[in-house]
Amino acid sequence: SQTIHQWPATLVQPVGSPLSLECTVEGTSNPNLYWYRQAAGRGLQLLFYSVGIGQISSEVPQNLSASRPQDRQFILSSKKLLLSDSGFYLCAWSVEIPTPEQYFGPGTRLTVT
Amino acid sequence: GDSVTQMEGPVTLSEEAFLTINCTYTATGYPSLFWYVQYPGEGLQLLLKATKADDKGSNKGFEATYRKETTSFHLEKGSVQVSDSAVYFCALSSDSNYQLIWGAGTKLIIKP
C-alpha cells in the first residue's frame, strides 16, 4: 500500500531564516506531487505541483520554491522566511488513472516568529 | 473556469441529528467529485468520491450523489456523532486531472 511521509511535524523558525520541508511517498511510481498551504481556519492554497522529476509548476508568486530530486521526493524551500509564511503545509500525491484523487500527508505546522 | 461552492460554516448540530453539507460546482467536461475530511491538526483524508453522473459515493455512514442536472454533490449522514466534528472539503477534478479544484471547506461541530 502507499504511504506518504512529511517532516518535520512542527517547526518554529525566526524571520529571515531558511526553510526545508521534505515529503516522500512509498508504494507508487511516478506520482504527481503537490505542496499546499493552509492558513489558520482557512482553505487550501496550492503552491506547487510536479508531474515528474525536475518538473515543477508554481501556482502563486512567493518566496518559496520546490524541487523534486527523486521520483518520490518533494522538497519545499525558502531562503528567507517571512511572517506571512506561517501556516500548515501539506504534501499530497496522486495518479491520474483510474481516478485523480489526492492523498495527503500529515502536514507540517510552521510558525515564523 | 471550474469552481466549487460550499455552504459556509460552522455548522453546529446535536448528536444523532441529520447532516447535509451543500456543495455545488461549475465545470466544463465531466469531472470526478470528491469529499475530504480534515480532523484538527491532521492532513486531509479522502472520504468518498463519484466519477460520473448519478454515482453515489459512500463511506463511514456518509453519502453523496453526483447530480449533473443540478451540478451538486451534497454530503449527507443520517445520524452524526461527536467524532464527526471536523472540516469537510468538496473538490472536483480539473480537465487536466493534474489538479483538484477545492471548495473553501465547511467546519462541522457536533455537540453531545
Side-chain angles (χ1 to χ4, degrees):
Chain A
S1 64
Q2 300 89 357
T3 56
I4 179 170
H5 304 279
Q6 282 187 249
W7 64 90
T10 60
L11 192 58
V12 179
Q13 293 283 93
V15 168
S17 64
L19 173 73
S20 181
L21 303 181
E22 189 163 342
C23 171
T24 60
V25 180
E26 296 176 356
T28 187
S29 296
N30 196 29
N32 298 325
L33 296 172
Y34 308 84
W35 279 112
Y36 289 90
R37 178 169 58 201
Q38 191 176 29
R42 304 292 295 275
L44 296 170
Q45 180 187 31
L46 179 64
L47 301 176
F48 302 94
Y49 69 94
S50 170
V51 300
I53 295 175
Q55 300 178 62
I56 309 294
S57 296
S58 174
E59 289 297 297
V60 292
Q62 64 225 325
N63 70 319
L64 300 172
S65 62
S67 62
R68 185 171 178 174
Q70 300 180 43
D71 181 43
R72 289 169 287 179
Q73 184 185 28
F74 205 23
I75 297 172
L76 183 70
S77 303
S78 173
K79 293 182 179 178
K80 289 186 177 182
L81 284 168
L82 306 172
L83 285 174
S84 57
D85 291 323
S86 293
F88 192 47
Y89 288 81
L90 291 159
C91 181
W93 68 272
S94 75
V95 293
E96 294 155 47
I97 298 172
T99 48
E101 64 265 28
Q102 294 176 13
Y103 296 93
F104 285 78
T108 295
R109 175 76 58 193
L110 172 65
T111 304
V112 182
T113 61
Chain B
D2 296 356
S3 65
V4 175
T5 302
Q6 288 182 237
M7 60 190 297
E8 287 193 23
V11 174
T12 303
L13 296 172
S14 297
E15 206 166 19
E16 299 184 2
F18 185 87
L19 168 70
T20 300
I21 299 179
N22 290 338
C23 172
T24 57
Y25 67 91
T26 302
T28 56
Y30 303 93
S32 296
L33 300 173
F34 308 92
W35 277 103
Y36 283 79
V37 58
Q38 184 180 31
Y39 299 103
E42 298 184 8
L44 279 71
Q45 300 175 27
L46 179 64
L47 182 59
L48 52 84
K49 67 181 180 182
T51 58
K52 60 184 186 297
D54 300 324
D55 268 2
K56 177 185 284 188
S58 62
N59 187 23
K60 299 181 181 179
F62 291 90
E63 293 182 340
T65 301
Y66 189 160
R67 302 283 189 199
K68 192 165 178 64
E69 64 275 13
T70 54
T71 62
S72 65
F73 192 55
H74 303 322
L75 183 67
E76 297 181 336
K77 187 176 185 183
S79 177
V80 292
Q81 306 300 313
V82 172
S83 57
D84 293 326
S85 298
V87 179
Y88 292 81
F89 290 92
C90 184
L92 64 82
S93 58
S94 68
D95 282 347
S96 70
N97 268 358
Y98 294 159
Q99 299 184 41
L100 297 183
I101 308 300
W102 296 91
T106 302
K107 185 173 184 177
L108 175 65
I109 300 170
I110 307 299
K111 296 188 173 181

